[in-house]
Amino acid sequence: MPAGADVTSAAPKTDGIPTWADMDEAARTEYWAALALRHCRGLGARSCARLLRAFGSAYQALQARQHWSDAGLNRRQAAEMSTGSWRVTARTEWDQARRLNAGILLWTSPCYPQRLRELSDAPVLLYCRGDLSLLHSPAFAIVGSRRATNQGLAVAAYMARCLAACGIAVVSGMAQGIDRVAHEAALARVGRSIGVLGTGIDQIYPRSGEKLFHAMAERGLLLSEFPPGAPPLAEHFPIRNRIISGLALGVLVVEAASRSGSLITARLALEQNRDVYAVPGPALDSHCLGCQELVRQGARPVFSAEDVLRDLAEQLRPFGISEASLPEAEKALSLPVPTTREEQAEQPKVSGQCLKENSAVLPLPAERACAEAESLAPADRRERLLHCLRAQGPMQADALASALDMPVYELNALLIGLEMLAQVRRLPGARYEVPA
C-alpha cells in the first residue's frame, strides 16, 4: 500500500459496505492497516480495540506506534509491529479478500454497529453478506444446544418467530439445533435474522446448512471476523460468541447442558451488560441443567415472548416496539409444551436407570460439552498456562499470551476450554486466575 495515505480523507459510504473491488484507495489503506493489527503477534482483540479507540483508525494507530503506551500497550507489542512479521499472513488475507464477493466492514465505517463498537474486545473488521440494514435494527440473540430436543427446537422457533414478527433481528451462530431453527423461524418475519459465523464468510458449515446459508445471504445477514477461507476450527466457535451477544440487547439460552458453550455466551453477555434469559425446561432434564443454573444465578426465566418484550420495553421504545407489536396470531400462542405421552417420552430424564442404559450408546450433553472443552485445552498447553497463572497470579489475556509466547487466538481457545472445565476463572477486565 502507498505510504502516507490519509484514511480520513475518503467520503464515508453510507449506502452500503464496499467489497474489496469497490474500495477507494483510502479505504484500502485502512483495510491494510486493520490487517496489520489483526496479524501482529501479541495483539489480541482487546489490544486492537484499545488502539482503535485511542487513535480513531487502524491507519492512525500504525502511524503512532511510539505512543501505544498511551493506549495501555507495552513496548514489546509496538516493537513486534515494527518488525513487519505480520506482513505474510496479512497479505494472504488481502489476496483472499480481492477474490471475495462480500462486504468488508471496517471500524471507521459509519455502518459499524454501535453496540459492537462498545465492546472492549470489538473486532477490528467484519466480512458480511446480506442486508446491512439489519445492523441498525434492535437485535436479540437465541442460542442453545446443537443436539436439542424436539421441545427445545419448538421453543426456539416460537421465540424467534414472535420477536422477529415485532421487528427484532434474531441473532445466532448458524449451528445445528437451536441456532438453525431460530434463524429459519425469523427469516420470514419483519425483523429477520443475523448469523455470526465461526468460519470464513465464504465457507458453508455445517454442509447440511447450505440451504440456510444461502437464504441468510439473500434475506438476512451473515457476519464473520475470520479471514476468507477460514475452516471450522473448534476454537473459532467460542470466540465468535462475543459478537453474537455483543450485537444483541439480550441473550436467551433455550437448552444448555451443565457445561456448555452456550453458558460461555451467557457469561459474555453479562460482562457486556446485556440481559440474560433462560427457558428453565423440565426438571432433571439433562439438556436444561445449564439453563436452570442460569436462573439460579439470576437470569430471567422466560415463559412467553411477551416476557422478553416487557422486560426490554425501555430499550425497544425508541424503535416503536412493545408488547402491542406482537401480532394477534402470535399472542394466542405460548411456549410449546409436550402434551401427549409420546411427546413426554421424548424428553430425556437424568435417572439412574436411564444413565446406565444409555451411557454406552450416546454420551450425555454434559459429557459432550466436556469432550469439546478437552479438545480446546490440550494437556501440554493446559499445564503451561496453569503453571504460569499459579506462579504469577491473575493475568490479563494479552499479557498471558505474551508470557507464554502463544498466539492470542490459540490462547483464547485454551482459556475457554479451561473455563468450561472449571480449571480457570475469568475476572473483570479479561483477567484470569486459577480457582483456589
Side-chain angles (χ1 to χ4, degrees):
M1 290 300 300
D6 182 6
V7 72
T8 62
S9 64
K13 294 177 180 291
T14 57
D15 57 345
I17 303 302
T19 64
W20 189 95
D22 297 326
M23 285 180 166
D24 59 23
E25 187 171 330
R28 289 179 184 173
T29 298
E30 176 64 14
Y31 175 54
W32 178 248
L35 293 181
L37 295 182
R38 273 167 52 108
H39 289 271
C40 180
R41 189 179 181 89
L43 290 186
R46 185 174 293 265
S47 294
C48 290
R50 285 177 178 173
L51 292 172
L52 290 166
R53 290 192 184 90
F55 302 105
S57 73
Y59 176 74
Q60 295 297 341
L62 293 190
Q63 297 297 100
R65 285 193 296 276
Q66 67 274 24
H67 300 297
W68 279 15
S69 59
D70 296 344
L73 276 70
N74 57 50
R75 293 181 179 178
R76 182 175 176 179
Q77 290 169 304
E80 182 64 34
M81 175 61 72
S82 298
T83 68
S85 60
W86 48 270
R87 289 181 178 276
V88 173
T89 51
R91 181 71 200 201
T92 298
E93 184 169 345
W94 171 274
D95 290 339
Q96 290 170 326
R98 291 181 65 176
R99 300 186 289 270
L100 186 68
N101 183 26
I104 303 173
L105 182 59
L106 301 171
W107 174 275
T108 50
S109 170
C111 292
Y112 194 101
Q114 182 58 34
R115 294 189 67 81
L116 204 57
R117 197 189 296 275
E118 295 167 357
L119 302 188
S120 60
D121 52 1
V124 175
L125 62 89
L126 290 166
Y127 295 99
C128 44
R129 304 177 84 168
D131 184 356
L132 292 160
S133 70
L134 296 181
L135 292 177
H136 305 292
S137 302
F140 188 82
I142 297 177
V143 298
S145 174
R146 288 178 172 85
R147 297 175 177 87
T149 65
N150 290 340
Q151 168 74 4
L153 297 175
V155 169
Y158 158 79
M159 293 297 299
R161 185 176 65 248
C162 290
L163 296 177
C166 296
I168 297 171
V170 172
V171 187
S172 200
M174 294 292 289
Q176 292 282 40
I178 297 298
D179 292 16
R180 178 180 60 81
V181 299
H183 288 306
E184 290 176 344
L187 268 185
R189 302 308 197 273
V190 177
R192 289 176 288 172
S193 192
I194 299 173
V196 185
L197 305 178
T199 65
I201 194 71
D202 55 342
Q203 301 296 301
I204 299 175
Y205 179 83
R207 290 304 306 178
S208 59
E210 182 173 4
K211 183 177 179 181
L212 174 61
F213 182 95
H214 292 302
M216 289 288 288
E218 292 172 4
R219 305 195 306 276
L221 177 64
L222 294 173
L223 299 174
S224 175
E225 69 173 319
F226 298 106
L233 301 179
E235 58 264 31
H236 287 177
F237 296 94
I239 292 170
R240 62 94 199 264
N241 289 352
R242 79 188 195 286
I243 299 178
I244 294 175
S245 55
L247 288 167
L249 297 172
V251 174
L252 171 67
V253 183
V254 176
E255 280 187 346
S258 58
R259 290 180 180 177
S260 165
S262 298
L263 302 186
I264 299 294
T265 308
R267 190 262 297 156
L268 290 170
L270 290 173
E271 288 188 6
Q272 296 164 351
N273 199 30
R274 306 305 193 248
D275 293 310
V276 175
Y277 305 83
V279 178
L284 302 182
D285 186 337
S286 63
H287 292 78
C288 300
L289 295 180
C291 291
Q292 292 160 8
E293 181 59 28
L294 284 176
V295 172
R296 282 192 289 269
Q297 293 173 1
R300 295 167 173 81
V302 167
F303 301 98
S304 70
E306 287 96 327
D307 290 342
V308 173
L309 294 171
R310 189 180 305 117
D311 200 66
L312 294 176
E314 288 300 317
Q315 297 178 74
L316 293 173
R317 186 169 292 114
F319 300 95
I321 297 173
S322 67
E323 288 181 69
S325 305
L326 191 62
E328 290 299 325
E330 304 292 358
K331 287 182 181 179
L333 302 176
S334 59
L335 287 182
V337 294
T339 55
T340 69
R341 181 174 301 175
E342 290 76 12
E343 288 174 322
Q344 291 173 354
E346 289 179 358
Q347 308 304 310
K349 300 295 189 296
V350 184
S351 65
Q353 185 61 30
C354 180
L355 288 176
K356 193 171 183 179
E357 292 174 353
N358 293 325
S359 59
V361 180
L362 182 66
L364 291 172
E367 294 170 338
R368 288 195 294 263
C370 189
E372 179 183 355
E374 292 281 356
S375 71
L376 292 171
D380 56 341
R381 285 186 288 174
R382 180 191 315 182
E383 290 308 315
R384 284 182 60 212
L385 184 148
L386 293 176
H387 176 76
C388 184
L389 286 180
R390 291 189 186 106
Q392 301 293 329
M395 295 181 69
Q396 201 272 335
D398 287 355
L400 186 57
S402 180
L404 296 172
D405 193 25
M406 181 183 295
V408 174
Y409 70 89
E410 288 184 9
L411 176 71
N412 286 339
L414 180 57
L415 286 169
I416 288 170
L418 288 173
E419 189 176 0
M420 292 172 70
L421 293 169
Q423 293 185 21
V424 300
R425 178 167 56 212
R426 181 174 168 121
L427 303 172
R431 296 164 62 246
Y432 291 85
E433 68 175 5
V434 177

